[in-house]
Amino acid sequence: MTIPSNNAFLPDDVLSGKEKRLFLSSALLSWYNQNGRDLPWRVRGAHPNPYVVWISEIMLQQTTVKTVIPYFYRFLERFPDISALANADIDDVLLLWQGLGYYTRARKLHECAQFLNQNNGGKFPETYSELLKLPGIGPYTAASISSLAFDKREAVVDGNVIRVISRLYGIAESTAVSLPEIKTKAQDLMSETRAADYTSAIMDLGATVCTPKNPDCSVCPFEGECEALARNLIDEIPKIEKLQKINKIGKLFWIENESGDVFIRKREEAGLLHGLTEFPWEAVEGNDEMLNKISFPIPNADWVDTGKNVRHVFTHINLTLKIFKTKVLENEADLKNLMKTGGQFVSKDNFKDYPFSTLMKKVVKAVESDGNSDSKKRNSKKAKSVESKTFCDFE
DNA sequence: AAATCGGGGTC
DNA sequence: GACCCAGATTT
């Protein structure tokens, strides 16, 4: 595309810059008209219900569309509006959130609903700056609600936008450094007449065309203007710094009483998996020998190593838990000491009433397996290590 | 600026 | 296995 320079009184770069942006924005919206995704929380143009936009945006943080969809339907059915959510018990909110991760999101969602109900007439503010003040709403979500629900010209910057913009303009520095520039360019590119659709469009482009690996540049509306493509830098841009993980190993204690009920407890309200239900466990950084440091929770109990392992990968932790069981706990002193640590015995049939993390669900699955059900997985790895012969690995 | 906070899809 | 997803909050 040739950019016409039809105004001799303005510097070429300024004029062509603005015209180029208009061209790109127009091309993006045309592409979106034909290729935009239909999603449960989406309409064309501004969305009439900011609550729907809000719930979807919070759920979608660091989460894939496919994962979110069933959670979204369940949540909207159970909590159809701000008032319903505000009046709910936080534990009921967590119950619907279990398995979705980043549980702070659920807590802030609940806080925010209560705040809006009490202080803002149960309605969302429409401006970026007001939205930004709300619990759980940061720069991305403030811009997304403002643009998607109220058609304000506030550009979102998420992983998709970072990728699209940094490739389009050939920005090769680390994204942590170039973020302000990316934000400016995304804002400049934003449509002046179709703000909501622009937001959906640039994210759809990043999700379906300008993908991290093997982007389909041949169908991209920016194909002819993309710096990264022209300079063969698609695989180098964006440059994202990776964080490193630590390895932790620990013990999990599966405790049953005479009735076959299992001991569970509630995690603290801060930190990893906060507020969720768990079986007692403790982990330390390091390797197998570190296990000697862990003796919780009943020093004198007759612990049996089940030989079962559960592995779980968090954002910054690789965790391996070895599962230990007691025989039926009937010693009164042990029982008393255990109850002092905080928790309760619950029937397995009632697990569904408590919010468990995926990690704990793996534990349940491991304990309930007979030890042979994973032979197929073990066989596939039999040459790898002694460990995989010795333990059942649930992953 | 760097660390913390889940879980799952994809390559 | 590595990457990274519609990021926010704390340190």
Side-chain angles (χ1 to χ4, degrees):
Chain A
M1 159 99 186
T2 303
I3 305 297
S5 182
N6 57 4
N7 189 331
F9 298 102
L10 291 173
D12 275 354
D13 57 339
V14 173
L15 182 61
S16 68
K18 174 156 188 176
E19 290 193 359
K20 181 171 176 177
R21 291 197 298 274
L22 286 172
F23 165 71
L24 291 171
S25 188
S26 172
L28 176 60
L29 286 168
S30 295
W31 174 85
Y32 177 72
N33 290 341
Q34 299 299 316
N35 304 290
R37 293 174 293 180
D38 289 321
L39 299 170
W41 44 83
R42 175 181 287 177
V43 299
R44 298 297 164 127
H47 199 291
N49 188 348
Y51 179 78
V52 170
V53 175
W54 175 50
I55 299 300
S56 67
E57 291 299 337
I58 300 297
M59 283 188 172
L60 285 160
Q61 288 171 11
Q62 298 295 289
T63 311
T64 54
V65 166
K66 187 176 181 180
T67 300
V68 163
I69 287 175
Y71 282 91
F72 174 80
Y73 282 126
R74 287 195 294 265
F75 201 94
L76 263 290
E77 185 177 358
R78 177 75 174 77
F79 308 117
D81 51 38
I82 291 177
S83 180
L85 180 55
N87 293 324
D89 189 305
I90 180 60
D91 290 329
D92 289 333
V93 179
L94 280 175
L95 208 52
L96 279 189
W97 205 270
Q98 63 176 315
L100 199 52
Y102 286 122
Y103 298 94
T104 295
R105 294 183 296 172
R107 182 170 310 278
K108 299 283 186 183
L109 205 64
H110 189 234
E111 279 178 30
C112 186
Q114 294 186 327
F115 176 87
L116 292 175
N117 227 17
Q118 290 164 20
N119 303 306
N120 210 44
K123 295 196 167 193
F124 272 94
E126 300 189 8
T127 65
Y128 174 87
S129 61
E130 289 296 315
L131 286 162
L132 191 58
K133 296 175 185 172
L134 298 171
I137 295 185
Y140 165 80
T141 309
S144 71
I145 295 175
S146 183
S147 62
L148 291 172
F150 302 114
D151 228 15
K152 306 283 190 191
R153 195 166 173 272
E154 300 284 355
V156 295
V157 178
D158 72 330
N160 288 310
V161 175
I162 288 173
R163 196 166 51 251
V164 169
I165 297 293
S166 61
R167 281 175 176 167
L168 176 60
Y169 292 102
I171 301 169
E173 310 100 275
S174 152
T175 54
V177 175
S178 58
L179 200 58
E181 180 185 0
I182 291 171
K183 182 155 183 105
T184 297
K185 288 192 164 13
Q187 184 67 49
D188 288 345
L189 194 62
M190 190 168 198
S191 166
E192 296 181 14
T193 56
R194 294 174 62 190
D197 284 342
Y198 168 87
T199 295
S200 297
I202 195 166
M203 290 196 288
D204 274 17
L205 187 68
T208 65
V209 174
C210 192
T211 50
K213 291 174 183 172
N214 306 319
D216 191 358
C217 300
S218 65
V219 302
C220 182
F222 297 159
E223 182 187 11
E225 310 294 332
C226 182
E227 284 285 326
L229 181 60
R231 289 155 53 193
N232 197 25
L233 292 174
I234 288 291
D235 292 333
E236 273 64 53
I237 298 177
K239 183 177 178 185
I240 298 171
E241 59 289 354
K242 58 180 178 183
L243 60 91
Q244 75 176 22
K245 292 185 187 225
I246 60 175
N247 295 313
K248 283 194 169 185
I249 189 165
K251 296 178 180 176
L252 183 139
F253 304 95
W254 183 277
I255 308 162
E256 294 188 13
N257 66 10
E258 294 170 320
S259 310
D261 296 344
V262 188
F263 186 77
I264 62 172
R265 66 184 185 186
K266 184 177 170 68
R267 289 182 67 83
E268 294 183 3
E269 295 296 348
L272 186 69
L273 301 172
H274 60 62
L276 271 66
T277 303
E278 67 176 8
F279 313 102
W281 64 277
E282 187 179 336
V284 294
E285 189 173 348
N287 300 315
D288 284 20
E289 56 265 30
M290 303 297 291
L291 285 174
N292 298 328
K293 293 191 173 185
I294 301 173
S295 59
F296 184 88
I298 316 170
N300 299 324
D302 186 13
W303 292 108
V304 177
D305 186 346
T306 64
K308 294 176 178 176
N309 269 7
V310 169
R311 298 183 191 283
H312 195 70
V313 178
F314 296 94
T315 303
H316 55 293
I317 300 169
N318 293 322
L319 177 66
T320 301
L321 288 181
K322 300 181 67 172
I323 301 176
F324 289 75
K325 291 176 79 166
T326 60
K327 308 237 170 88
V328 172
L329 199 59
E330 38 196 10
N331 179 297
E332 283 299 327
D334 285 347
L335 205 52
K336 194 173 176 183
N337 284 333
L338 177 63
M339 299 313 287
K340 273 198 291 191
T341 67
Q344 57 184 312
F345 282 95
V346 167
S347 160
K348 293 174 190 170
D349 293 336
N350 291 334
F351 282 177
K352 63 182 186 332
D353 297 328
Y354 298 85
F356 284 92
S357 63
T358 296
L359 169 61
M360 290 302 131
K361 292 185 177 185
K362 287 184 186 176
V363 170
V364 173
K365 190 175 171 187
V367 169
E368 289 179 344
S369 74
D370 58 12
N372 294 321
S373 62
D374 60 332
S375 58
K376 184 177 165 191
K377 178 175 288 184
R378 197 163 63 229
N379 286 340
S380 70
K381 291 184 178 178
K382 63 183 175 187
K384 292 200 78 171
S385 71
V386 175
E387 183 183 325
S388 62
K389 269 187 176 178
T390 308
F391 301 118
C392 307
D393 294 337
F394 293 81
E395 18 191 6

